[in-house]
Amino acid sequence: MKNFSRYGISIPQILLPENIDTATWSVVACDQYTQDRDYWEKVEQTVSGKNSTLNIILPEVYLNDDDKPQRIEQIKKTMREYIEGNVFKEEQEFIYVERTTAYGRKRHGLVACIDLDKYEWKPFSKALIRATEATILERIPPRMEIRRGAPIESPHIMLLVNDPDHSLVEGTGEAVIKAGTAPCYEGPLMQNSGSIKGYPVKDEKALEIFENALSKIAEKNTDKDGNVFMFAVGDGNHSLATAKAIWDEVKLNNGGKKLDDGTVTVPAGFENHNARFALIEIVNIFDTGLTFEPIHRVLFNIKPLDIINAIKDNLNGTVSEVSSKENLIDTVKNSSADFGFVFTENGSQKYVLVKTEIKELAVARLQPVIDNFLKSVNASKDQIDYIHGTEEVFRLGAKENTVAVLLPPVAKDSFFATINSRGPLPRKSFSMGEADEKRFYLECRKLF
Protein backbone atom coordinates (compact mmCIF):
# COMPACT_ATOMS: atom_id res chain seq x y z
CA MET A 1 0.00 0.00 0.00
CA LYS A 2 1.17 3.53 -0.78
CA ASN A 3 2.20 5.91 1.99
CA PHE A 4 0.57 9.35 2.06
CA SER A 5 1.83 10.46 5.48
CA ARG A 6 3.62 13.56 4.12
CA TYR A 7 0.16 14.90 3.25
CA GLY A 8 -1.32 14.00 6.64
CA ILE A 9 -3.34 11.17 5.05
CA SER A 10 -3.47 7.42 5.59
CA ILE A 11 -5.60 4.56 4.25
CA PRO A 12 -8.06 3.53 6.98
CA GLN A 13 -9.22 0.14 8.13
CA ILE A 14 -12.87 0.70 7.25
CA LEU A 15 -15.64 -1.07 9.12
CA LEU A 16 -18.91 -1.52 7.21
CA PRO A 17 -21.88 -3.77 8.04
CA GLU A 18 -22.51 -6.75 5.79
CA ASN A 19 -25.47 -6.15 3.42
CA ILE A 20 -25.77 -2.58 4.63
CA ASP A 21 -29.20 -0.92 4.65
CA THR A 22 -28.35 2.75 4.22
CA ALA A 23 -31.90 3.86 5.08
CA THR A 24 -31.57 2.63 8.68
CA TRP A 25 -27.83 2.26 9.32
CA SER A 26 -26.94 5.81 8.26
CA VAL A 27 -28.09 8.90 10.22
CA VAL A 28 -27.30 12.59 9.87
CA ALA A 29 -24.52 14.40 11.78
CA CYS A 30 -25.16 14.69 15.51
CA ASP A 31 -24.83 18.49 15.46
CA GLN A 32 -27.89 18.95 13.23
CA TYR A 33 -31.48 19.57 14.35
CA THR A 34 -30.24 20.57 17.79
CA GLN A 35 -33.54 22.30 18.55
CA ASP A 36 -35.74 19.60 17.02
CA ARG A 37 -36.34 16.60 19.28
CA ASP A 38 -39.16 15.49 17.01
CA TYR A 39 -36.64 14.86 14.22
CA TRP A 40 -34.51 12.61 16.38
CA GLU A 41 -37.54 10.81 17.82
CA LYS A 42 -38.61 9.98 14.26
CA VAL A 43 -35.09 8.66 13.59
CA GLU A 44 -35.40 6.42 16.67
CA GLN A 45 -38.70 5.08 15.36
CA THR A 46 -37.18 4.45 11.91
CA VAL A 47 -34.24 2.39 13.21
CA SER A 48 -36.04 0.64 16.07
CA GLY A 49 -34.77 -2.94 16.46
CA LYS A 50 -32.10 -2.53 13.77
CA ASN A 51 -28.36 -1.97 13.76
CA SER A 52 -27.79 1.74 13.19
CA THR A 53 -25.19 4.44 13.69
CA LEU A 54 -27.84 6.19 15.79
CA ASN A 55 -26.95 3.69 18.52
CA ILE A 56 -23.26 4.70 18.50
CA ILE A 57 -23.60 8.51 18.48
CA LEU A 58 -25.04 11.11 20.85
CA PRO A 59 -27.25 13.63 19.03
CA GLU A 60 -26.39 17.04 20.47
CA VAL A 61 -30.05 17.74 21.17
CA TYR A 62 -29.49 15.45 24.20
CA LEU A 63 -26.08 16.83 25.18
CA ASN A 64 -27.36 18.72 28.24
CA ASP A 65 -29.89 16.12 29.39
CA ASP A 66 -29.59 14.58 32.86
CA ASP A 67 -29.25 11.07 31.42
CA LYS A 68 -26.20 11.92 29.30
CA PRO A 69 -23.81 9.68 31.30
CA GLN A 70 -26.15 6.71 30.87
CA ARG A 71 -26.50 7.44 27.16
CA ILE A 72 -22.71 7.54 26.71
CA GLU A 73 -22.30 4.28 28.63
CA GLN A 74 -24.92 2.63 26.40
CA ILE A 75 -23.26 3.99 23.25
CA LYS A 76 -19.92 2.40 24.15
CA LYS A 77 -21.61 -0.84 25.15
CA THR A 78 -23.33 -0.97 21.75
CA MET A 79 -20.03 -0.30 19.99
CA ARG A 80 -18.50 -3.32 21.73
CA GLU A 81 -21.52 -5.44 20.86
CA TYR A 82 -21.27 -4.48 17.18
CA ILE A 83 -17.59 -5.48 17.10
CA GLU A 84 -17.99 -8.70 19.11
CA GLY A 85 -21.17 -9.64 17.24
CA ASN A 86 -19.38 -9.51 13.87
CA VAL A 87 -21.70 -6.81 12.56
CA PHE A 88 -18.81 -5.42 10.49
CA LYS A 89 -16.49 -6.53 7.77
CA GLU A 90 -13.10 -4.77 7.79
CA GLU A 91 -11.11 -3.62 4.75
CA GLN A 92 -8.12 -1.31 4.34
CA GLU A 93 -9.34 1.16 1.74
CA PHE A 94 -10.39 4.68 0.94
CA ILE A 95 -14.07 5.08 0.07
CA TYR A 96 -15.13 7.25 -2.88
CA VAL A 97 -18.59 8.68 -2.12
CA GLU A 98 -21.30 10.06 -4.37
CA ARG A 99 -24.04 11.79 -2.40
CA THR A 100 -27.19 13.00 -4.13
CA THR A 101 -29.14 15.39 -1.90
CA ALA A 102 -32.88 15.94 -1.77
CA TYR A 103 -32.28 19.07 -3.86
CA GLY A 104 -30.82 17.08 -6.73
CA ARG A 105 -27.24 18.21 -6.10
CA LYS A 106 -24.51 15.56 -6.38
CA ARG A 107 -21.53 15.92 -4.05
CA HIS A 108 -18.37 13.83 -4.31
CA GLY A 109 -16.19 12.81 -1.38
CA LEU A 110 -13.35 10.55 -0.35
CA VAL A 111 -13.27 8.92 3.09
CA ALA A 112 -9.77 8.71 4.54
CA CYS A 113 -7.84 8.99 7.80
CA ILE A 114 -5.89 12.07 8.82
CA ASP A 115 -2.98 12.36 11.23
CA LEU A 116 -4.13 14.53 14.14
CA ASP A 117 -0.54 15.69 14.66
CA LYS A 118 -0.85 17.40 11.27
CA TYR A 119 -4.01 19.28 12.32
CA GLU A 120 -4.26 22.43 14.42
CA TRP A 121 -7.32 24.54 15.29
CA LYS A 122 -5.44 27.43 16.91
CA PRO A 123 -5.52 30.75 15.00
CA PHE A 124 -2.74 31.46 12.50
CA SER A 125 -1.49 27.89 12.57
CA LYS A 126 0.60 26.82 9.59
CA ALA A 127 -0.34 23.15 9.96
CA LEU A 128 -1.24 20.99 6.96
CA ILE A 129 -4.85 20.83 8.20
CA ARG A 130 -6.45 23.96 9.68
CA ALA A 131 -9.73 25.14 11.16
CA THR A 132 -11.97 27.41 9.10
CA GLU A 133 -13.91 28.95 11.98
CA ALA A 134 -13.06 29.96 15.52
CA THR A 135 -13.01 27.01 17.94
CA ILE A 136 -15.02 27.42 21.16
CA LEU A 137 -12.99 25.70 23.87
CA GLU A 138 -15.90 24.96 26.21
CA ARG A 139 -17.49 22.79 23.52
CA ILE A 140 -14.60 20.30 23.60
CA PRO A 141 -14.74 18.65 27.10
CA PRO A 142 -18.34 17.33 26.78
CA ARG A 143 -17.41 15.74 23.45
CA MET A 144 -14.26 14.21 24.96
CA GLU A 145 -16.49 12.19 27.31
CA ILE A 146 -17.97 10.45 24.28
CA ARG A 147 -14.70 9.75 22.42
CA ARG A 148 -12.61 8.79 25.45
CA GLY A 149 -12.25 5.00 25.39
CA ALA A 150 -14.80 4.59 22.59
CA PRO A 151 -14.24 1.31 20.69
CA ILE A 152 -15.45 2.83 17.38
CA GLU A 153 -15.55 6.17 15.60
CA SER A 154 -17.79 7.21 12.73
CA PRO A 155 -17.22 10.58 11.06
CA HIS A 156 -19.32 13.56 10.17
CA ILE A 157 -16.17 15.64 9.66
CA MET A 158 -15.71 17.08 6.17
CA LEU A 159 -12.36 18.50 5.06
CA LEU A 160 -12.17 20.90 2.14
CA VAL A 161 -9.41 20.72 -0.45
CA ASN A 162 -8.46 23.60 -2.75
CA ASP A 163 -8.69 21.77 -6.07
CA PRO A 164 -10.10 23.84 -8.97
CA ASP A 165 -8.88 21.14 -11.39
CA HIS A 166 -11.12 18.51 -9.73
CA SER A 167 -8.18 16.11 -9.77
CA LEU A 168 -8.17 14.60 -6.27
CA VAL A 169 -11.64 13.45 -5.26
CA GLU A 170 -13.35 13.60 -8.63
CA GLY A 171 -10.29 12.29 -10.51
CA THR A 172 -9.89 9.34 -8.15
CA GLY A 173 -13.59 8.57 -8.33
CA GLU A 174 -13.60 8.66 -12.11
CA ALA A 175 -10.73 6.15 -12.20
CA VAL A 176 -12.52 3.82 -9.78
CA ILE A 177 -15.75 3.85 -11.78
CA LYS A 178 -13.95 3.44 -15.11
CA ALA A 179 -12.25 0.34 -13.68
CA GLY A 180 -15.69 -1.22 -13.16
CA THR A 181 -15.42 -1.26 -9.37
CA ALA A 182 -18.64 -2.42 -7.70
CA PRO A 183 -20.12 -0.19 -4.96
CA CYS A 184 -19.61 -1.34 -1.38
CA TYR A 185 -22.88 0.34 -0.42
CA GLU A 186 -25.71 2.07 -2.23
CA GLY A 187 -29.17 3.23 -1.21
CA PRO A 188 -31.51 5.92 0.09
CA LEU A 189 -30.99 8.06 3.19
CA MET A 190 -33.72 8.46 5.79
CA GLN A 191 -36.10 11.39 6.20
CA ASN A 192 -36.10 12.09 2.43
CA SER A 193 -32.44 13.15 2.52
CA GLY A 194 -31.49 11.83 -0.91
CA SER A 195 -29.25 8.85 -1.60
CA ILE A 196 -25.64 7.72 -1.28
CA LYS A 197 -23.24 5.38 -3.03
CA GLY A 198 -19.73 4.34 -1.99
CA TYR A 199 -16.91 2.63 -3.89
CA PRO A 200 -13.79 1.02 -2.39
CA VAL A 201 -10.53 2.67 -3.51
CA LYS A 202 -7.55 0.33 -3.22
CA ASP A 203 -6.26 -0.59 -6.68
CA GLU A 204 -2.84 0.77 -7.62
CA LYS A 205 -3.97 2.89 -10.58
CA ALA A 206 -6.55 4.82 -8.56
CA LEU A 207 -4.09 5.28 -5.70
CA GLU A 208 -1.47 6.60 -8.11
CA ILE A 209 -3.95 9.15 -9.47
CA PHE A 210 -4.78 10.13 -5.88
CA GLU A 211 -1.09 10.51 -4.98
CA ASN A 212 -0.28 12.59 -8.06
CA ALA A 213 -3.20 14.90 -7.33
CA LEU A 214 -2.10 15.32 -3.70
CA SER A 215 1.41 16.25 -4.85
CA LYS A 216 0.17 18.92 -7.26
CA ILE A 217 -2.28 20.39 -4.75
CA ALA A 218 0.46 20.53 -2.09
CA GLU A 219 2.77 22.35 -4.50
CA LYS A 220 0.12 24.92 -5.41
CA ASN A 221 -0.79 25.51 -1.76
CA THR A 222 2.74 26.07 -0.44
CA ASP A 223 3.51 29.59 0.77
CA LYS A 224 6.80 31.49 0.43
CA ASP A 225 7.99 30.09 3.80
CA GLY A 226 7.40 26.51 2.69
CA ASN A 227 4.22 25.95 4.73
CA VAL A 228 1.64 23.73 3.01
CA PHE A 229 -2.08 24.39 3.52
CA MET A 230 -3.48 21.03 2.47
CA PHE A 231 -6.97 20.85 3.96
CA ALA A 232 -9.43 23.15 5.73
CA VAL A 233 -12.10 21.81 8.09
CA GLY A 234 -15.48 22.51 6.49
CA ASP A 235 -17.79 20.70 8.93
CA GLY A 236 -17.09 19.09 12.30
CA ASN A 237 -14.26 21.29 13.56
CA HIS A 238 -15.20 20.76 17.22
CA SER A 239 -15.34 17.01 16.66
CA LEU A 240 -11.86 17.11 15.14
CA ALA A 241 -10.58 19.34 17.93
CA THR A 242 -12.01 16.80 20.38
CA ALA A 243 -10.22 13.94 18.60
CA LYS A 244 -6.95 15.87 18.87
CA ALA A 245 -7.53 16.57 22.56
CA ILE A 246 -8.09 12.85 23.21
CA TRP A 247 -4.93 11.96 21.25
CA ASP A 248 -2.92 14.48 23.31
CA GLU A 249 -4.42 12.94 26.46
CA VAL A 250 -3.36 9.45 25.34
CA LYS A 251 0.17 10.68 24.68
CA LEU A 252 0.47 12.45 28.05
CA ASN A 253 -0.88 9.41 29.91
CA ASN A 254 1.75 7.20 28.30
CA GLY A 255 4.95 9.18 28.69
CA GLY A 256 4.54 11.96 26.12
CA LYS A 257 5.96 15.38 27.00
CA LYS A 258 4.20 18.71 26.54
CA LEU A 259 6.48 21.17 24.78
CA ASP A 260 6.60 24.96 25.13
CA ASP A 261 4.50 25.41 21.96
CA GLY A 262 1.72 23.24 23.41
CA THR A 263 2.37 20.17 21.26
CA VAL A 264 2.83 16.77 22.90
CA THR A 265 5.54 14.33 21.87
CA VAL A 266 4.57 10.83 20.72
CA PRO A 267 5.70 8.17 23.25
CA ALA A 268 7.57 5.12 21.98
CA GLY A 269 5.26 2.42 20.71
CA PHE A 270 2.37 4.84 20.07
CA GLU A 271 3.44 6.05 16.62
CA ASN A 272 0.56 4.18 14.95
CA HIS A 273 -1.99 4.17 17.76
CA ASN A 274 -5.55 4.35 16.41
CA ALA A 275 -6.26 7.49 18.46
CA ARG A 276 -3.59 9.35 16.47
CA PHE A 277 -5.88 9.31 13.45
CA ALA A 278 -9.41 10.45 12.67
CA LEU A 279 -11.78 9.28 9.96
CA ILE A 280 -12.96 12.13 7.72
CA GLU A 281 -14.40 12.83 4.28
CA ILE A 282 -12.46 15.01 1.83
CA VAL A 283 -14.60 17.25 -0.40
CA ASN A 284 -13.38 19.61 -3.11
CA ILE A 285 -14.35 23.19 -2.30
CA PHE A 286 -15.01 23.60 -6.04
CA ASP A 287 -17.36 20.60 -6.20
CA THR A 288 -20.41 21.78 -8.16
CA GLY A 289 -22.66 19.93 -5.71
CA LEU A 290 -21.26 21.77 -2.67
CA THR A 291 -23.18 24.94 -1.89
CA PHE A 292 -21.55 27.65 0.18
CA GLU A 293 -24.20 29.94 1.60
CA PRO A 294 -23.46 33.14 3.53
CA ILE A 295 -24.95 33.47 7.00
CA HIS A 296 -26.48 36.93 7.25
CA ARG A 297 -26.58 39.23 10.28
CA VAL A 298 -29.43 41.04 12.00
CA LEU A 299 -29.00 43.77 14.61
CA PHE A 300 -31.64 44.93 17.08
CA ASN A 301 -32.15 48.38 18.61
CA ILE A 302 -29.21 49.83 16.72
CA LYS A 303 -29.36 53.10 14.75
CA PRO A 304 -29.10 52.00 11.09
CA LEU A 305 -26.96 54.86 9.85
CA ASP A 306 -24.51 54.46 12.75
CA ILE A 307 -23.64 50.85 11.87
CA ILE A 308 -23.69 51.60 8.12
CA ASN A 309 -21.24 54.47 8.54
CA ALA A 310 -19.01 52.41 10.84
CA ILE A 311 -18.76 49.70 8.19
CA LYS A 312 -18.24 52.24 5.40
CA ASP A 313 -15.45 54.00 7.30
CA ASN A 314 -13.63 50.89 8.46
CA LEU A 315 -13.80 49.10 5.10
CA ASN A 316 -13.22 52.20 2.91
CA GLY A 317 -16.61 51.72 1.31
CA THR A 318 -19.15 53.92 -0.41
CA VAL A 319 -22.82 54.21 0.55
CA SER A 320 -25.82 54.52 -1.76
CA GLU A 321 -29.54 53.99 -1.44
CA VAL A 322 -31.07 51.29 -3.67
CA SER A 323 -34.53 51.56 -5.20
CA SER A 324 -35.86 48.06 -4.58
CA LYS A 325 -35.44 44.75 -2.82
CA GLU A 326 -34.70 43.02 -6.14
CA ASN A 327 -32.01 45.56 -7.02
CA LEU A 328 -30.30 45.10 -3.65
CA ILE A 329 -30.37 41.31 -3.94
CA ASP A 330 -28.94 41.35 -7.47
CA THR A 331 -26.18 43.82 -6.61
CA VAL A 332 -25.02 41.99 -3.48
CA LYS A 333 -25.38 38.53 -5.04
CA ASN A 334 -23.22 39.50 -8.01
CA SER A 335 -20.47 40.99 -5.87
CA SER A 336 -17.78 39.50 -3.68
CA ALA A 337 -17.58 42.24 -1.06
CA ASP A 338 -20.70 44.45 -1.11
CA PHE A 339 -23.20 44.52 1.75
CA GLY A 340 -26.92 45.25 1.78
CA PHE A 341 -28.81 46.85 4.67
CA VAL A 342 -32.56 46.53 5.15
CA PHE A 343 -34.43 48.60 7.74
CA THR A 344 -37.42 50.87 8.25
CA GLU A 345 -37.18 54.61 8.80
CA ASN A 346 -40.20 56.74 9.72
CA GLY A 347 -42.44 53.94 8.50
CA SER A 348 -40.67 53.69 5.14
CA GLN A 349 -38.69 50.64 3.97
CA LYS A 350 -35.05 51.44 3.19
CA TYR A 351 -32.51 49.52 1.11
CA VAL A 352 -28.90 50.68 1.43
CA LEU A 353 -25.78 49.34 -0.30
CA VAL A 354 -22.21 49.59 0.99
CA LYS A 355 -19.72 48.85 -1.80
CA THR A 356 -16.16 47.87 -0.86
CA GLU A 357 -13.00 46.71 -2.59
CA ILE A 358 -12.23 43.95 -0.09
CA LYS A 359 -10.16 41.16 -1.65
CA GLU A 360 -10.43 38.64 1.20
CA LEU A 361 -13.57 36.75 2.17
CA ALA A 362 -16.05 39.52 2.98
CA VAL A 363 -17.32 38.18 6.31
CA ALA A 364 -13.76 37.99 7.67
CA ARG A 365 -13.52 41.79 7.40
CA LEU A 366 -17.13 42.60 8.26
CA GLN A 367 -17.57 40.74 11.55
CA PRO A 368 -14.72 42.43 13.48
CA VAL A 369 -16.19 45.82 12.52
CA ILE A 370 -19.63 44.78 13.77
CA ASP A 371 -18.13 43.36 16.98
CA ASN A 372 -16.19 46.56 17.69
CA PHE A 373 -19.22 48.72 16.95
CA LEU A 374 -21.47 46.71 19.27
CA LYS A 375 -18.85 46.94 21.99
CA SER A 376 -18.57 50.72 21.50
CA VAL A 377 -22.32 51.19 22.10
CA ASN A 378 -22.41 48.70 25.00
CA ALA A 379 -24.76 46.39 23.13
CA SER A 380 -25.78 43.10 24.71
CA LYS A 381 -25.22 39.67 23.16
CA ASP A 382 -28.86 39.38 22.19
CA GLN A 383 -28.66 42.47 19.97
CA ILE A 384 -27.14 40.40 17.16
CA ASP A 385 -28.35 37.22 15.54
CA TYR A 386 -27.27 35.08 12.57
CA ILE A 387 -29.81 34.09 9.94
CA HIS A 388 -30.04 31.83 6.91
CA GLY A 389 -31.79 32.77 3.69
CA THR A 390 -32.29 35.99 1.74
CA GLU A 391 -36.02 36.18 2.42
CA GLU A 392 -35.41 36.11 6.17
CA VAL A 393 -33.20 39.20 5.78
CA PHE A 394 -36.06 41.16 4.25
CA ARG A 395 -38.69 39.78 6.63
CA LEU A 396 -36.68 40.90 9.65
CA GLY A 397 -35.56 44.15 8.02
CA ALA A 398 -39.20 45.17 7.69
CA LYS A 399 -39.56 45.27 11.47
CA GLU A 400 -39.06 48.37 13.58
CA ASN A 401 -35.73 48.83 15.41
CA THR A 402 -34.06 46.15 13.29
CA VAL A 403 -31.21 46.31 10.78
CA ALA A 404 -30.74 43.22 8.63
CA VAL A 405 -27.42 42.82 6.83
CA LEU A 406 -27.32 40.93 3.53
CA LEU A 407 -23.92 39.33 2.87
CA PRO A 408 -22.45 38.47 -0.54
CA PRO A 409 -21.84 34.87 -1.66
CA VAL A 410 -18.90 33.06 -0.11
CA ALA A 411 -16.11 33.28 -2.67
CA LYS A 412 -14.62 29.81 -3.04
CA ASP A 413 -11.56 31.10 -4.89
CA SER A 414 -10.45 33.32 -1.97
CA PHE A 415 -11.48 30.95 0.84
CA PHE A 416 -8.11 29.27 1.44
CA ALA A 417 -6.16 32.48 0.88
CA THR A 418 -8.23 34.31 3.50
CA ILE A 419 -7.71 31.63 6.15
CA ASN A 420 -4.02 31.42 5.30
CA SER A 421 -3.53 35.17 5.74
CA ARG A 422 -6.09 36.01 8.46
CA GLY A 423 -6.55 32.76 10.38
CA PRO A 424 -9.92 31.08 11.09
CA LEU A 425 -13.04 32.94 10.04
CA PRO A 426 -15.47 34.43 12.55
CA ARG A 427 -18.11 32.07 13.90
CA LYS A 428 -21.22 31.75 11.72
CA SER A 429 -19.39 32.73 8.54
CA PHE A 430 -20.83 30.23 6.10
CA SER A 431 -23.01 27.17 5.78
CA MET A 432 -22.25 24.14 3.62
CA GLY A 433 -25.72 23.34 2.36
CA GLU A 434 -28.93 22.61 4.25
CA ALA A 435 -29.18 20.50 7.42
CA ASP A 436 -30.18 17.34 5.55
CA GLU A 437 -27.24 17.79 3.15
CA LYS A 438 -24.70 17.37 5.96
CA ARG A 439 -22.66 14.21 6.21
CA PHE A 440 -24.48 11.04 7.29
CA TYR A 441 -22.63 8.55 9.49
CA LEU A 442 -21.84 5.40 7.56
CA GLU A 443 -18.23 4.18 7.61
CA CYS A 444 -16.67 3.27 10.97
CA ARG A 445 -13.16 2.55 12.28
CA LYS A 446 -11.80 0.91 15.46
CA LEU A 447 -10.52 3.47 17.93
CA PHE A 448 -9.76 2.01 21.39
Side-chain angles (χ1 to χ4, degrees), residues 69 315 333 344 365 400:
L315 301 182
K333 188 175 181 179
T344 59
R365 295 290 304 277
E400 293 290 337

Side-chain angles (χ1 to χ4, degrees), residues 277-311:
F277 305 93
L279 203 57
I280 53 86
E281 180 180 343
I282 302 168
V283 178
N284 183 9
I285 193 172
F286 293 99
D287 190 318
T288 55
L290 179 65
T291 59
F292 259 45
E293 301 293 340
I295 299 177
H296 309 291
R297 273 61 177 150
V298 59
L299 307 172
F300 304 100
N301 298 311
I302 296 294
K303 293 180 180 178
L305 292 183
D306 288 353
I307 183 63
I308 289 170
N309 286 327
I311 291 169

Side-chain angles (χ1 to χ4, degrees), residues 62-119:
Y62 305 126
L63 203 55
N64 295 316
D65 286 7
D66 292 339
D67 66 346
K68 184 181 74 170
Q70 290 77 26
R71 283 181 178 270
I72 293 174
E73 183 180 349
Q74 182 60 45
I75 285 166
K76 294 177 182 177
K77 179 173 181 265
T78 303
M79 289 177 175
R80 289 189 292 270
E81 289 173 352
Y82 281 2
I83 292 173
E84 294 166 4
N86 297 316
V87 167
F88 300 111
K89 59 179 180 179
E90 186 171 17
E91 296 282 350
Q92 187 175 20
E93 59 195 6
F94 294 128
I95 302 286
Y96 167 66
V97 179
E98 290 184 345
R99 167 79 188 279
T100 302
T101 73
Y103 307 92
R105 295 187 277 263
K106 182 184 278 190
R107 187 178 72 226
H108 311 81
L110 196 132
V111 177
C113 263
I114 62 159
D115 182 348
L116 291 166
D117 281 338
K118 301 291 179 66
Y119 156 73

Side-chain angles (χ1 to χ4, degrees), residues 320-425:
S320 60
E321 192 162 339
V322 175
S323 60
S324 69
K325 165 184 172 180
E326 291 74 22
N327 194 341
L328 188 65
I329 291 172
D330 287 345
T331 304
V332 173
K333 188 175 181 179
N334 290 308
S335 77
S336 61
D338 296 345
F339 306 99
F341 296 82
V342 185
F343 57 95
T344 59
E345 186 177 71
N346 299 323
S348 177
Q349 188 73 67
K350 296 290 184 181
Y351 307 114
V352 171
L353 178 73
V354 174
K355 293 184 70 69
T356 79
E357 299 298 324
I358 294 170
K359 299 303 179 188
E360 306 101 322
L361 212 57
V363 68
R365 295 290 304 277
L366 175 72
Q367 190 61 44
V369 176
I370 292 178
D371 290 342
N372 288 335
F373 173 82
L374 292 176
K375 186 176 181 180
S376 73
V377 298
N378 296 314
S380 61
K381 289 192 297 184
D382 59 6
Q383 282 182 256
I384 183 170
D385 200 1
Y386 305 88
I387 54 176
H388 298 259
T390 301
E391 287 306 316
E392 191 70 356
V393 170
F394 289 90
R395 186 184 74 81
L396 291 170
K399 295 185 175 184
E400 293 290 337
N401 303 315
T402 303
V403 186
V405 187
L406 184 69
L407 271 69
V410 178
K412 291 183 176 183
D413 54 357
S414 62
F415 188 87
F416 272 73
T418 298
I419 294 167
N420 191 47
S421 63
R422 301 184 66 86
L425 302 173

Side-chain angles (χ1 to χ4, degrees), residues 122-138:
K122 293 173 184 173
F124 305 106
S125 164
K126 294 301 179 182
L128 275 173
I129 304 162
R130 307 176 198 175
T132 54
E133 291 187 333
T135 302
I136 302 170
L137 293 182
E138 56 264 30

